[in-house]
Amino acid sequence: MTAAAEILRARAGAEPVEVALILGSGLGGLADAVDGVAVPYAELPGFPRATVSGHAGRMVIGRLEGRRVAVLAGRAHYYEGGGAAVMRPCLETLRALGTGTLILTNAAGSTREDLPPGSLVAIADHINLAGANPLIGIEDDSRFVDMVDAYDPALRARLRSLGLPEGVYAWFSGPSFETPAEIRMARLLGADLVGMSTVPECILARWLGIPVAAVSLVTNLAAGMSGTGLSHAETKREAAAAAARFEAVIRDFLRDRGA
Ligand code: HPA
């Protein structure tokens, strides 16, 4: 049991969390839909201070579509300097709370014209191009985590049944966006989506034995694919524009009680 988990159980009750969600840039509004208790990260030992605008930094535990959920609005990224394991206390806390399913969400660039801005895409697999790993430094054999079917096949099937296409996500460290040459490389390597998060959290979840799925919201065509440059303002704007559809998909997922 982590100290944060004890605080959360004292405030929100001991009922295990069925589904946890980590919300990406601009997608934090879903936390407001939860009927429950909100705790700022600042009150949870080990939890990161989220420095990115569009990331609120609070955890809400309660009910959504009748399910016991924990929603983490705000994540810390590798590029914020806290290391690739910066989200480890959050993930360990979710496990301590009995989390049965973890849904990671993010804003991403798309390398495919047929996955334009506004698309919601289930992550089928990932490519770690950041070269970092949150398990570096762990000294027992638990560190050799199997990453075959890292994104749980049954959860992926449910997301496909809700109409989501699938794609491979490539993790770049950021915080600068990619160059057009890097995007051509990523596409050649089989990446459909590019982003700066999610992969270390997926690795941590697999290490902890939590089944994981992930949904990207495409906020832009990747670098060099459109006439314009990229910006975080665009990421937040596009995420806000798609927030209602994103919320509808998550609610559908929760209603369909397979998880
Ligand atoms: N690249 C990396 N991260 C992103 C992008 C992108 O194009 N869009 C939103 N997050």
Side-chain angles (χ1 to χ4, degrees):
M1 180 68 57
T2 66
E6 275 173 29
I7 292 169
L8 290 160
R9 283 166 66 122
R11 297 230 200 135
E15 186 188 340
V17 169
E18 294 174 74
V19 180
L21 289 134
I22 298 182
L23 302 180
S25 291
L27 298 173
L30 189 64
D32 297 327
V34 178
D35 180 15
V37 176
V39 183
Y41 286 1
E43 294 174 27
L44 296 171
F47 273 53
R49 297 292 153 89
T51 65
V52 189
S53 60
H55 286 262
R58 69 200 163 108
M59 181 154 168
V60 187
I61 299 187
R63 301 207 91 77
L64 188 61
E65 298 296 336
R67 311 292 295 273
R68 173 81 162 171
V69 299
V71 177
L72 282 82
R75 60 152 56 93
H77 305 77
Y78 177 51
Y79 63 71
E80 290 169 81
V86 63
M87 291 294 283
R88 178 172 162 180
C90 300
L91 276 284
E92 288 177 325
T93 297
L94 289 178
R95 188 179 66 167
L97 294 172
T99 298
T101 296
L102 174 64
I103 310 293
L104 303 171
T105 71
N106 61 51
S110 167
T111 70
R112 282 173 41 185
E113 308 272 0
D114 62 333
L115 296 176
S119 305
L120 291 168
V121 184
I123 296 182
D125 200 351
H126 72 228
I127 304 174
N128 180 348
L129 292 177
N133 193 296
L135 305 183
I136 288 174
I138 290 171
E139 293 187 341
D140 58 56
D141 285 356
S142 72
R143 65 185 145 187
F144 300 116
V145 172
D146 180 18
M147 294 298 289
V148 175
D149 288 334
Y151 298 87
D152 186 82
L155 298 175
R156 283 173 53 197
R158 286 179 52 206
L159 290 170
R160 284 197 305 269
S161 78
L162 298 176
L164 268 59
E166 289 201 313
V168 171
Y169 178 95
W171 178 34
F172 284 84
S173 78
S176 58
F177 286 107
E178 302 73 30
T179 63
E182 287 165 344
I183 292 304
R184 289 194 295 275
M185 174 194 75
R187 190 186 300 113
L188 270 177
L189 295 179
D192 307 295
L193 305 159
V194 294
M196 306 177 193
S197 69
T198 301
V199 166
E201 294 148 25
C202 171
I203 294 169
L204 285 164
R206 295 313 304 133
W207 175 60
L208 293 166
I210 306 173
V212 57
V215 177
S216 287
L217 165 61
V218 174
T219 55
N220 56 281
L221 289 175
M225 294 176 66
S226 63
T228 60
L230 308 188
S231 72
H232 188 56
E234 175 185 51
T235 298
K236 287 191 289 186
R237 194 175 55 242
E238 290 293 331
R245 262 186 316 115
F246 168 78
E247 185 174 322
V249 165
I250 297 298
R251 283 180 182 275
D252 282 350
F253 181 89
L254 292 171
R255 261 198 303 274
D256 155 34
R257 297 184 68 91

